Amino acid sequence: MPTADRPTFVLAAKLDADDKTDLAVAIGGFTSNVMVVRGRGDGTFEEPQTFGSLGFPVALAAGTFDGDPFADLGVVDLEADSVLLYHGQGDGSFVEGGSFSTGKRPEAVVAADLDGDGRLDLATVNSGSDDVSVLLGNGDGTFQPARTFAVARDPNSIDAGDLDGDGIIDLAVVSVRGSISPGAISLLRGVGGGKFVSAGEIRTGVSSASVVAVDFDRDGALDLINANGNVRSSDVSLFLGNGDGTFQSVRRYVAGRGPAACAAADLDGDRFLDLAVANGDDSVSILLGEPAAEFEAVPRFEVGGAPNCLVTGDFNGDGTPDLATAFAGVRVLLGNGEGTFQSSALT
């Protein structure tokens, strides 16, 4: 049964032609749709516009999928087992394109050039079929039939990057239940042409909720950060990459209770990547990066509503990363440039 409308996902991207950062929000419930909130460039936003009639949208990906210069949106529909493409018109409005089948109960999506042909593709994680669907883009807003690749049970998050240094995009997929541990990151090694082979699992030891692939220690190899999304957990796990598709032993850093999502950016201007973590205890944790991929925690920011999604973007044009979270509503935290944030504004 539908529940009251609530944001399920928030995305920061430039969705019109004015070069200002906007927000797209997936809304699930009685009136499931997508809400676009255009940024004014000063930290405030225009009135929201909504479009689409969906079963239950849970994730979004932005990119130019149809060859024109305007950003499009791929919307994951959990109930319809599909991704719907919406074509951007350059003014913040979107028109419906096609619907493309995925595995069962898709929960997350990433956009990347997975086959090296210069066109954006999509990959979804499907919690109902324990696999990843790869939809190769044709460059005109359509996609080829999904290719499926098995991962650990109950996958719920995905990121893409060259994890082994061979110039081909790989996939990292977080699952609630691994084959040999309570949680796992499944590694899918790209072998070219949009095909992937299993490269094993990384044990996380706890239920997992979010994965980000980024080079934290600046050694040229991608690392993985994982939010340990369990009400009994209060930390994130860092796995430093060796550059060959293998990873070092876990490092754990304290966040808030029940971390649900994380994002990486230089939040304090020292050129080291920092972490922002959305927690189930109604807060956002800031972990300031230091040399050798260590982190220093600063006081958490209360946002309310157990945020389940978090993104970074420059919403006021000052060159400093800001944050947006989704929970009962969407809240924006404007960065001060030293790892602190102004009072949040509700959109």
Side-chain angles (χ1 to χ4, degrees):
M1 292 291 292
T3 59
D5 291 346
R6 64 178 179 85
T8 58
F9 193 87
V10 61
L11 172 75
K14 295 177 180 179
L15 300 176
D16 53 22
D18 66 5
D19 204 39
K20 298 169 184 174
T21 304
D22 311 302
L23 291 172
V25 186
I27 307 292
F30 291 111
T31 57
S32 293
N33 54 33
V34 176
M35 178 175 72
V36 170
V37 192
R38 298 173 64 190
R40 296 190 176 103
D42 59 359
T44 65
F45 295 83
E46 304 284 352
E47 287 296 313
Q49 299 177 342
T50 60
F51 62 88
S53 178
L54 301 139
F56 200 86
V58 292
L60 305 168
T64 53
F65 298 105
D66 58 7
D68 68 19
F70 307 128
D72 310 306
L73 287 173
V75 183
V76 172
D77 192 328
L78 179 74
E79 290 187 353
D81 296 338
S82 64
V83 175
L84 286 82
L85 188 73
Y86 288 87
H87 298 276
Q89 305 301 292
D91 58 0
S93 65
F94 293 80
V95 297
E96 186 173 345
S99 175
F100 305 92
S101 297
T102 66
K104 295 180 180 179
R105 296 184 63 81
E107 293 205 13
V109 63
V110 65
D113 182 4
L114 300 176
D115 57 359
D117 67 354
R119 301 165 180 167
L120 274 181
D121 312 305
L122 294 172
T124 68
V125 290
N126 311 308
S127 63
S129 49
D130 296 337
D131 56 21
V132 169
S133 294
V134 171
L135 296 91
L136 298 180
N138 296 316
D140 58 359
T142 65
F143 295 86
Q144 299 174 30
R147 303 175 177 183
T148 59
F149 303 92
V151 294
R153 293 174 295 170
D154 296 337
N156 58 21
S157 179
I158 186 171
D159 206 358
D162 183 5
L163 301 177
D164 56 9
D166 65 354
I168 301 173
I169 296 295
D170 311 301
L171 297 173
V173 179
V174 157
S175 292
V176 174
R177 296 180 293 171
S179 61
I180 53 178
S181 72
I185 301 174
S186 297
L187 302 175
L188 294 177
R189 181 170 63 88
V191 294
K195 298 179 181 179
F196 296 84
V197 297
S198 174
E201 295 179 11
I202 300 174
R203 301 185 191 186
T204 62
V206 292
S207 296
S208 304
S210 175
V211 65
V212 175
V214 69
D215 184 6
F216 283 103
D217 55 3
R218 303 195 296 187
D219 66 351
L222 286 179
D223 313 308
L224 298 175
I225 194 78
N226 171 63
N228 299 322
N230 185 296
V231 294
R232 295 186 296 274
S233 302
S234 59
D235 58 16
V236 295
S237 299
L238 173 63
F239 301 90
L240 294 179
N242 296 315
D244 59 358
T246 65
F247 293 83
Q248 300 175 28
S249 298
V250 63
R251 302 182 183 185
R252 298 191 187 278
Y253 298 93
V254 174
R257 180 172 53 82
C262 52
D266 181 6
L267 302 176
D268 58 2
D270 66 355
R271 299 187 180 181
F272 292 102
L273 284 175
D274 311 304
L275 280 175
V277 185
N279 303 305
D281 61 6
D282 304 344
S283 70
V284 171
S285 296
I286 304 298
L287 305 178
L288 298 181
E290 298 179 340
E294 295 293 336
F295 293 93
E296 175 190 2
V298 299
R300 297 198 299 269
F301 295 87
E302 299 299 322
V303 295
N308 60 358
C309 184
L310 182 147
V311 293
T312 64
D314 184 5
F315 302 120
N316 58 1
D318 64 356
T320 297
D322 309 307
L323 301 174
T325 65
F327 49 102
V330 177
R331 193 172 293 269
V332 173
L333 300 172
L334 298 179
N336 295 317
E338 78 280 50
T340 65
F341 295 82
Q342 299 177 26
S343 297
S344 54
L346 188 65
T347 63

